[in-house]
Amino acid sequence: MKRWALLLLTGFVMNGCAATNGMLAAPRGPHAYGYTLSGSNVVFSFRASDYPTVSSGTSNDLFPIGDVRINRVSVAGEFNRWSTEAMPMARAGDYWVAARPITEFESSRPFQFKFVINGRCWAEPPPNALNRALAKDGVANLMLQIDKPSPPKEVAPHAQAPVHR
């Protein structure tokens, strides 16, 4: 599992992040957080240093993510009924990663999601995340948007073959 996660992370790094002296460098300025599209997969990625605060999920109390010893991380969202266990992530250095086929997600609408630490702490989206969205209850989440390519349109056959005289 760890080998697979490292290979996946390597592909993620090569496709979307810059590397500096062997260290991953976060994109500069506002950007989408929490996932990237890689081939036919959605690759969820979590790095604690990108998320300054966490909440308990039951109150609006926020506390520094540095106060939490991270033992496990999972992805919870509308696509898995906000399950804190359904999509566990594998650790790969400073990152936690999980990949799912794009086909598991509808392309017709965006999905809200968050990262869950140790099954009980919810990583709060950074204020500068381009994919930050507010739920109806005012809670901030990240937004996953997948634009799958449309299937090719069928070309209607000619009603009658041309006749050459």
Side-chain angles (χ1 to χ4, degrees):
M1 181 71 167
K2 283 189 176 187
R3 173 178 257 170
W4 180 83
L6 287 173
L7 289 172
L8 186 61
L9 181 61
T10 301
F12 167 70
V13 170
M14 298 305 288
N15 286 326
C17 292
T20 308
N21 298 329
M23 299 291 289
L24 294 174
R28 296 176 193 258
H31 62 281
Y33 280 78
Y35 77 97
T36 187
L37 302 178
S38 179
S40 61
N41 290 313
V42 176
V43 180
F44 293 95
S45 61
F46 171 81
R47 183 173 64 172
S49 61
D50 291 337
Y51 299 82
T53 59
V54 295
S55 68
S56 65
T58 58
S59 69
N60 291 333
D61 294 336
L62 300 177
F63 49 97
I65 198 166
D67 291 353
V68 178
R69 181 172 180 206
I70 301 174
N71 297 315
R72 61 189 162 98
V73 179
S74 60
V75 184
E78 293 176 304
F79 42 79
N80 65 10
R81 297 185 179 142
W82 295 98
S83 169
T84 60
E85 303 296 326
M87 198 180 295
M89 302 179 81
R91 187 167 192 160
D94 289 341
Y95 284 85
W96 293 79
V97 295
R100 290 289 196 262
I102 288 176
T103 56
E104 287 185 15
F105 305 93
E106 298 173 36
S107 65
S108 59
R109 69 179 187 95
F111 292 98
Q112 292 189 34
F113 73 97
K114 269 189 172 171
F115 296 105
V116 184
I117 302 167
N118 302 333
R120 66 180 187 278
C121 297
W122 298 78
E124 295 301 319
N128 67 335
L130 290 179
N131 60 326
R132 180 184 169 115
L134 292 179
K136 291 178 184 175
D137 60 2
V139 172
N141 295 312
L142 292 173
M143 192 69 69
L144 167 66
Q145 177 67 55
I146 300 171
D147 295 321
K148 293 183 202 172
S150 302
K153 293 181 181 178
E154 291 187 31
V155 178
H158 294 290
Q160 183 178 4
V163 178
H164 298 284
R165 296 184 190 224

